[in-house]
Amino acid sequence: MAKTYALKAEERERAGKGIARSLRRAGKTPAVIYGDKKEPVKITLNENEINVEYNRGQLFTTLCSLDVAGKEHLVLARDVQLHPVTDVVEHVDFLRVTDKTRLAVDVPVQFINEDKCPSLEQKGTLNVVRFTIELTCRATNIPDFIEVNIEGKEHGDAVKVSDATLPDGAVPVISDRDFTIATLVPPKTAEQEEAEEAAA
């Protein structure tokens, strides 16, 4: 089972913009639980608690054990609406999940063996093309990050998705090619730096 965080929520009967505004004034955030072939459930969350979880940066890849009036729902946040100025969470859509649920999620990449990368040892630069990889995986097996091995990479080499270690049962959403995650760029020559300075 993937790691989870816990929240408490209250069920609400009514919806609409006026209701949502009054809830937010009271320090509550409207949300909804949907999926698993069940009726959607309208709920309210504590504004501070959901904003803390959102600001951790893993809301879309970490399961939530959501207690609604004593009934537990295992859910994953799939959409968040933010205030356009303050970036405070204004609404959350939660998807009910089970150990059979498969879905697409963006998972951050983490590069390993940088100390064994000849290009970096020779003052090269790791030019990251994709900071996340979209995976199809089980909801209960979403990784915190994907390790990408750059051991042995030389100047000009591409780091591909085949260099990544994926969890069991997970596959990239882009499955028709071995796409590039990063490239190793050699350091600029003195002539290149002079030319750039002159152009500037």
Side-chain angles (χ1 to χ4, degrees):
M1 174 70 74
K3 71 175 185 178
T4 63
Y5 64 96
L7 289 175
K8 286 193 173 184
E10 299 173 0
E11 194 165 352
R12 59 188 168 96
E13 296 294 329
R14 300 166 64 192
K17 291 184 178 179
I19 298 295
R21 280 195 293 268
S22 63
L23 287 172
R24 293 179 190 120
R25 282 196 296 268
K28 296 180 179 181
T29 301
V32 66
I33 305 170
Y34 69 97
D36 198 26
K37 299 178 181 178
K38 298 176 183 176
E39 285 293 315
V41 178
K42 296 184 288 293
I43 59 172
T44 58
L45 305 164
N46 178 283
E47 182 184 82
N48 289 335
E49 290 177 0
I50 188 60
N51 276 280
V52 165
E53 294 300 337
Y54 176 77
N55 289 321
R56 290 185 202 279
Q58 297 181 327
L59 197 68
F60 298 111
T61 56
T62 306
L63 297 180
C64 176
S65 176
L66 191 54
D67 181 331
V68 182
K71 184 177 181 181
E72 184 180 324
H73 300 259
L74 187 62
V75 298
L76 181 68
R78 296 298 277 166
D79 187 54
V80 169
Q81 295 173 24
L82 301 177
H83 188 280
V85 177
T86 62
D87 279 346
V88 169
V89 175
E90 292 201 322
H91 190 277
V92 187
D93 288 353
F94 288 106
L95 174 69
R96 295 186 187 93
V97 299
T98 69
D99 56 1
K100 295 180 181 178
T101 306
R102 290 183 64 83
L103 38 75
V105 289
D106 282 314
V107 181
V109 298
Q110 189 172 94
F111 297 95
I112 60 171
N113 291 325
E114 294 182 359
D115 57 332
K116 299 177 183 177
C117 174
S119 177
L120 295 184
E121 289 177 351
Q122 296 161 28
K123 309 299 183 186
T125 301
L126 182 66
N127 178 40
V128 181
V129 179
R130 295 175 183 268
F131 291 92
T132 63
I133 298 175
E134 190 176 15
L135 294 182
T136 300
C137 60
R138 286 188 295 117
T140 53
N141 196 29
I142 301 171
D144 293 334
F145 55 83
I146 299 167
E147 287 190 341
V148 182
N149 188 10
I150 59 173
E151 181 178 351
K153 297 292 184 181
E154 304 277 358
H155 292 335
D157 284 352
V159 183
K160 302 280 193 174
V161 70
S162 56
D163 295 307
T165 303
L166 303 181
D168 289 342
V171 294
V173 170
I174 299 173
S175 58
D176 60 345
R177 65 185 186 278
D178 189 14
F179 58 85
T180 298
I181 299 171
T183 55
L184 275 306
V185 182
K188 292 176 182 176
T189 64
E191 291 80 3
Q192 285 175 318
E193 290 183 351
E194 287 175 7
E196 287 184 3
E197 287 176 6

